[in-house]
Amino acid sequence: MEAEYKRPTWDQYFMRMAYLAASRSNCTRRKVGAVIVRDNQVMATGYNGPPVHSVNCDIVGCIRDELDVPSGERHELCRGLHAEQNAIIEAAVNGVGIKNAKIYVTTHPCVVCSKMLMNAHIDEIIYAEGYPDDLAKLMLLESDIKIRKFTISDDEIASMIGTFYIHKTGED
């Protein structure tokens, strides 16, 4: 007997897209993807990595690793932009408004990204994995942005896009 196809929910659909975006990352520490959506339409996508025409991190190495910088600290010591930042920039470059949109992101936003999402008037953040940044969590609690955790299994991610490094912190 054939297994019955089950259509994915919108959350599953867009979170899968966020993980697919993350698969483009060349970060050696954590691969993160983001999808900005309004009215169930994709407005922009992003993944973490260095600016355009810069050497990729998997080639030049990671300053944060060399200095043993813990996750969630010293964001300025990184060649790359975060997935949320790249999604916001993609929308701006292409003249796409993202006010009142949602963002699906594979990892909870850091404080820098949280502030950007607040100022971009994002309505909701849906994330899959935790990130150790207490100030980000506090600032989002003070904002009017809805935030919720939505996860899909590692097996499902691997079956969709193959296996690649996903750093899990266990933080929520």
Side-chain angles (χ1 to χ4, degrees), residues 70-167:
S71 190
E73 297 178 15
R74 305 289 314 271
H75 298 127
E76 75 280 6
L77 293 176
C78 182
R79 295 177 59 82
L81 294 149
H82 289 187
E84 303 94 324
Q85 295 166 357
N86 275 325
I88 291 168
I89 291 165
E90 178 182 284
V93 166
N94 292 310
V96 175
I98 58 172
K99 184 176 183 179
N100 304 120
K102 299 177 183 181
I103 188 167
Y104 288 82
V105 62
T106 58
T107 303
H108 189 286
C110 72
V111 68
V112 175
C113 291
S114 295
K115 292 185 286 188
M116 291 178 73
L117 294 169
M118 291 164 72
N119 275 1
H121 297 270
I122 294 294
D123 280 349
E124 185 174 11
I125 299 167
I126 302 98
Y127 72 97
E129 299 173 25
Y131 188 69
D133 191 333
D134 291 337
L135 184 55
K137 293 172 191 150
L138 176 64
M139 293 197 73
L140 288 171
L141 280 174
E142 294 172 355
S143 77
D144 57 356
I145 297 176
K146 290 182 268 177
I147 185 158
R148 64 187 163 93
K149 185 172 185 174
F150 179 85
T151 55
I152 56 180
S153 74
D154 289 345
D155 290 340
E156 182 179 3
I157 296 164
S159 71
M160 289 183 306
I161 58 177
T163 57
F164 62 92
Y165 175 73
I166 300 173
H167 178 81

Side-chain angles (χ1 to χ4, degrees), residues 46-66:
Y47 55 87
N48 57 322
V52 196
H53 307 299
S54 295
V55 180
N56 289 337
C57 300
D58 56 355
I59 294 170
V60 74
C62 179
I63 298 167
R64 294 171 60 79
D65 274 347
E66 291 169 16

